[in-house]
């Protein structure tokens, strides 16, 4: 007989199964919004080619360093603004997350892991 520590699992499914199920649902959601994904890829490709062409021969002097810093700021601003197009999808997902977490379907850690990976 083993010694039990009195730790009760709150969820029926294991952590790995929770993450796998949530990741599959997220993949399904992504497939439901193909225009958003296509728009992100096209816009990112265009921005990458534009930035690469503009700063292709930036020098190693002070002006070149300042140009690179401006480029990094532009890329950060671009990525921030591109993420705003996903806000309606996140709002819908947040309501679903709150309802399912309250019912004990999965934990916050599993949800976070599935979103990041």
């Amino acid at each position: 007989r083993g010694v039990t520590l009195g730790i009760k699992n709150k969820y029926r499914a294991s952590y790995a199964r929770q993450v796998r199920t949530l990741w599959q649902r997220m993949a399904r959601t992504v497939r439901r919004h193909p225009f958003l994904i296509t728009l992100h890829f096209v816009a990112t490709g265009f921005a990458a080619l534009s930035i690469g062409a503009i700063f292709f021969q930036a020098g190693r002097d002070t002006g070149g360093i300042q140009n690179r810093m401006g480029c990094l700021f532009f890329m950060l601003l671009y990525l921030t603004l591109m993420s705003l197009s996903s806000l309606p999808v996140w709002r819908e997902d947040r309501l679903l997350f709150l309802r399912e977490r309250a019912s004990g379907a999965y934990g916050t850690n599993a949800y976070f892991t599935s979103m990041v990976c």
Side-chain angles (χ1 to χ4, degrees):
R1 292 185 178 179
V3 178
T4 60
L5 299 175
I7 299 173
K8 184 180 176 187
N9 191 0
K10 277 173 58 171
Y11 310 105
R12 288 185 181 199
S14 67
Y15 178 77
R17 181 160 176 92
Q18 291 175 27
V19 171
R20 186 176 65 237
T21 303
L22 287 168
W23 193 86
Q24 288 171 346
R25 186 175 72 190
M26 184 186 66
R28 225 175 318 149
T29 303
V30 167
R31 284 193 302 261
R32 288 181 185 156
H33 300 284
F35 179 73
L36 184 63
I37 299 301
T38 304
L39 177 69
H40 280 206
F41 277 118
V42 169
T44 301
F46 178 74
L49 291 175
S50 299
I51 291 171
I54 292 170
F55 297 104
F56 178 64
Q57 293 193 3
R60 295 181 185 260
D61 57 347
T62 305
I65 293 171
Q66 288 175 342
N67 285 340
R68 284 189 202 90
M69 289 298 148
C71 179
L72 287 173
F73 174 75
F74 173 75
M75 287 189 298
L76 181 65
L77 180 67
Y78 169 77
L79 291 172
T80 302
L81 291 175
M82 282 301 289
S83 68
L84 291 178
S85 66
S86 301
L87 283 180
V89 176
W90 282 71
R91 185 178 58 221
E92 294 169 8
D93 200 33
R94 179 181 175 269
L95 295 174
L96 182 64
F97 164 71
L98 291 174
R99 196 173 357 172
E100 291 180 346
R101 186 178 58 97
S103 69
Y106 50 82
T108 306
N109 293 338
Y111 179 79
F112 180 76
T113 303
S114 70
M115 286 296 152
V116 172
C117 294

